[in-house]
Amino acid sequence: MNSAAQRGAILVMAAVAMSLAIGAALLAVDLGSLFHERRYLQTVADTAALSAVNDPSSAQSIALDAAAGNDYVLPGSKGRSLIAIPGYYDTSAREFFPGGSSALWNAVQVTVSEQQPYFFALGSREMSATATAVRQDIAGISVSASVATVNTEMSVLLNAILGGMLNTSLNLSAIAYEGLLGTAVSLLDLVKAHASIGTVEGLLDADLSVRELLDLSAQALQQKNLLGLDATVVDTLNVLALQVDPALRLKLGDLIDLGLVSGHQAAGVDLNLLQLLTLSAQVANGDHFLNLPVLGVSLPGLVDLNLALTMLEKPSIAVGPAGLDASGGWRTTAHNAQWRVKLDLLVGEVLGGLLRLPIYLEVGAGEAWVEAIDCRWPRDDSEVTVGAASSAARLYVGDVNPDAMTNRAASASVTPATILNVLGLLQVRASAVVDVPSGGDTLVFTGPFNAENTQRVSGLSTTGLFDQLLSNLDLDVVLLGLALPLGDVLSAILSVLSPVFSLLDAILNPVLSLLGIQLSVADVSTFDLSCGAPYLVR
């Protein structure tokens, strides 16, 4: 090939290469423009969704205003559109459900679109971006019978009962219990104290021993370096960790229900240490079932008490949003356990004999649910509306059937028991059954939102209950083998029994309070409130 032909071929190749380079450059400009516009549309969608979720009922107008603030003007020259749809976002399923009942709305999904023309190619391309924002105010609730204070006599009961649940022998002072009662730790504190768990979800799902939970709590308190923290609280936790049965294990997720919120939303929820310890001990003792052996508890100079407990349902603490879910159930609900409690009260010398009073209770569960949250500024001016109910209970005097503590299918049956035997000469037999009605109410809480923020669901007081029980006693009196007419001795017997029944408040209430229950009464606490800022979920 001659030189002229070679030069011609090179020129052709150069022209082709130049054309390809120019084409690639033009394509790059168009693609870069599309990419830039796509990012811009996503920013518009994100901003509009975050703004609109603060008031889903006005989502469209708010989203349009937010878009205009980003120079996204409708309809514009590019056929722009913006659609804001309110709905419900299920955080567990990570799915957005458009429309539905406005009472369920907690999210807004915004979609923006436009026709983006090419600079060098012919025509245009439709581009769109979608953002979903969620805003949830969440409350932490518990339903129980609060242990308000701990005195020396009550600490005796606490040591016996809590020690039994922890499979050890405790000798903690009232001051030690008061320290636990007055101190709280958050889920985030526990996560930070754990060497390998990095999330709240991981903490709730971890298989922990009660000993590990106590160690974590102590480390968390030390890391927080709380102002005014009493060192005896950490010492108490360390002592308990050394004494507790290492075989007792649980998942905090079996105790704490986050409902529909994510772990990071619930991270700051504070948990009272005494409540956390006692409920954890209950759950760790078995799956929905706890059966303690009879405990001998003495209150000096007053009474000997033998106590047996059976838990039929685990207790729980709940954290989550207000309102009903898509199936019509409350989104955030806490339960306390159903219990069967058996007590034998042995009172010293009465009329020359020993008075024995066998008491058996079937105590229904309490329940609380978050109906509404109205966040305000400052936060303590906010209102949390909680519905609550305490189930009915039944109280027996007498000897119950042997399988009463473990029979889930039927209530107990009772037969008369000998409650007073004076040298075999005088015997008094008694039995009674009293039904305790359920109670319910709607409670409105304002700040401060902590473990002490507690209200009580109306129910029958224990004083009225034991008066009612006393008046319903079915008595048989036998003297020297002969049945006596009740009229002749009833007043004398009742005068003996009345002070014994008055002891039940002093004995029974602390026992039930530790377990988180009271007779026909539910103490409801709104122990935490988080007024959430909007956040994007996709």
Side-chain angles (χ1 to χ4, degrees):
M1 181 179 295
N2 59 39
S3 58
Q6 289 178 337
R7 287 195 298 272
I10 292 172
L11 287 174
V12 170
M13 293 175 61
V16 171
M18 181 67 70
S19 298
L20 291 175
I22 292 173
L26 296 177
L27 178 62
V29 170
D30 273 338
L31 291 177
S33 173
L34 293 176
F35 177 75
H36 178 272
E37 193 66 16
R38 176 68 178 82
R39 286 203 308 174
Y40 167 66
L41 290 179
Q42 190 62 60
T43 299
V44 172
D46 290 348
T47 304
L50 288 169
S51 299
V53 77
N54 288 295
D55 184 5
S57 62
S58 303
Q60 184 70 23
S61 61
I62 295 175
L64 287 172
D65 288 342
N70 278 290
D71 295 325
Y72 187 83
V73 182
L74 293 168
S77 60
K78 298 181 179 182
R80 288 173 170 174
S81 69
L82 181 152
I83 300 174
I85 303 174
Y88 168 67
Y89 184 78
D90 186 336
T91 55
S92 58
R94 297 183 179 180
E95 185 174 358
F96 175 75
F97 298 93
S101 171
S102 60
L104 298 178
W105 289 348
N106 69 337
V108 168
Q109 187 174 83
V110 173
T111 300
V112 295
S113 63
E114 67 179 22
Q115 293 291 332
Q116 175 64 22
Y118 296 108
F119 281 101
F120 300 102
L122 295 177
S124 62
R125 176 179 178 179
E126 183 177 6
M127 302 187 65
S128 66
T130 299
T132 303
V134 177
R135 184 183 189 279
Q136 283 189 317
D137 301 325
I138 64 172
I141 61 170
S142 65
V143 54
S144 65
S146 301
V147 181
T149 59
V150 181
N151 57 32
T152 301
E153 290 181 354
M154 186 175 177
S155 68
V156 175
L157 291 170
L158 290 171
N159 281 328
I161 299 168
L162 187 56
M165 289 192 289
L166 297 175
N167 295 338
T168 188
S169 177
L170 296 181
N171 189 29
L172 297 180
S173 66
I175 294 175
Y177 282 114
E178 284 284 2
L180 295 176
L181 183 62
T183 308
V185 64
S186 74
L187 294 175
L188 181 60
D189 296 332
L190 296 176
V191 169
K192 290 180 177 179
H194 199 285
S196 59
I197 294 177
T199 65
V200 171
E201 288 88 352
L203 174 70
L204 296 179
D205 193 51
D207 182 22
L208 298 173
S209 68
V210 176
R211 173 174 293 180
E212 289 172 325
L213 179 58
L214 291 166
D215 282 334
L216 273 181
S217 300
Q219 294 173 34
L221 290 177
Q222 289 174 314
Q223 290 178 9
K224 284 180 70 173
N225 193 24
L226 291 175
L227 183 64
L229 174 65
D230 191 340
T232 59
V233 176
V234 175
D235 293 340
T236 299
L237 292 172
N238 290 331
V239 168
L240 286 169
L242 291 174
Q243 292 184 283
V244 66
D245 184 350
L248 291 176
R249 308 189 69 84
L250 79 156
K251 287 186 177 181
L252 280 180
D254 291 334
L255 171 63
I256 302 170
D257 181 8
L258 294 188
L260 301 175
V261 303
S262 59
H264 79 271
Q265 288 177 279
V269 170
D270 283 327
L271 304 171
N272 175 269
L273 282 180
L274 183 57
Q275 184 183 47
L276 180 64
L277 172 61
T278 56
L279 295 185
S280 297
Q282 293 171 35
V283 172
N285 267 277
D287 186 13
H288 303 281
F289 188 80
L290 170 65
N291 193 3
L292 293 178
V294 173
L295 304 171
V297 179
S298 295
L299 299 180
L302 292 177
V303 64
D304 289 334
L305 171 68
N306 290 322
L307 170 68
L309 306 167
T310 300
M311 184 175 72
L312 303 180
E313 180 182 303
K314 66 183 180 184
S316 69
I317 298 169
V319 181
L324 299 169
D325 59 23
S327 63
W330 294 106
R331 299 161 76 187
T332 303
T333 305
H335 301 265
N336 73 328
Q338 293 178 337
W339 287 88
R340 292 179 180 178
V341 183
K342 189 176 183 180
L343 307 101
D344 266 320
L345 284 79
L346 303 176
V347 182
E349 294 294 322
V350 177
L351 300 179
L354 182 68
L355 177 65
R356 169 182 173 255
L357 192 59
I359 303 290
Y360 177 79
L361 300 97
E362 293 177 349
V363 185
E367 184 176 26
W369 53 90
V370 182
E371 294 186 356
I373 298 175
D374 181 10
C375 278
R376 302 173 184 175
W377 183 259
R379 193 185 71 142
D380 283 353
D381 288 344
S382 303
E383 289 187 355
V384 178
T385 303
V386 178
S390 59
S391 301
R394 179 169 289 182
L395 190 149
Y396 303 78
V397 173
D399 290 325
V400 294
N401 48 300
D403 67 340
M405 294 291 286
T406 55
N407 187 342
R408 292 171 177 250
S411 296
S413 59
V414 65
T415 57
T418 299
I419 63 171
L420 181 62
N421 188 339
V422 182
L423 301 176
L425 303 177
L426 174 66
Q427 294 181 332
V428 178
R429 295 171 59 80
S431 65
V433 179
V434 173
D435 287 320
V436 184
S438 59
D441 208 346
T442 298
L443 310 174
V444 178
F445 290 84
T446 57
F449 296 96
N450 54 40
E452 297 178 1
N453 193 351
T454 300
Q455 296 186 45
R456 175 165 294 178
V457 176
S458 59
L460 186 64
S461 70
T462 53
T463 301
L465 171 65
F466 295 124
D467 288 344
Q468 184 181 358
L469 183 63
L470 190 60
S471 64
N472 279 274
L473 280 177
D474 185 9
L475 296 172
D476 292 317
V477 182
V478 177
L479 178 63
L480 298 176
L482 300 175
L484 296 180
L486 271 183
D488 296 337
V489 294
L490 181 59
S491 60
I493 294 173
L494 293 181
S495 67
V496 171
L497 292 178
S498 183
V500 176
F501 276 93
S502 68
L503 291 175
L504 290 176
D505 268 339
I507 297 170
L508 192 56
N509 280 344
V511 172
L512 298 181
S513 293
L514 174 67
L515 302 174
I517 52 181
Q518 278 189 335
L519 299 179
S520 192
V521 173
D523 280 357
V524 180
S525 171
T526 302
F527 60 84
D528 194 77
L529 174 64
S530 296
C531 295
Y535 63 98
L536 294 170
V537 292
R538 61 169 63 176

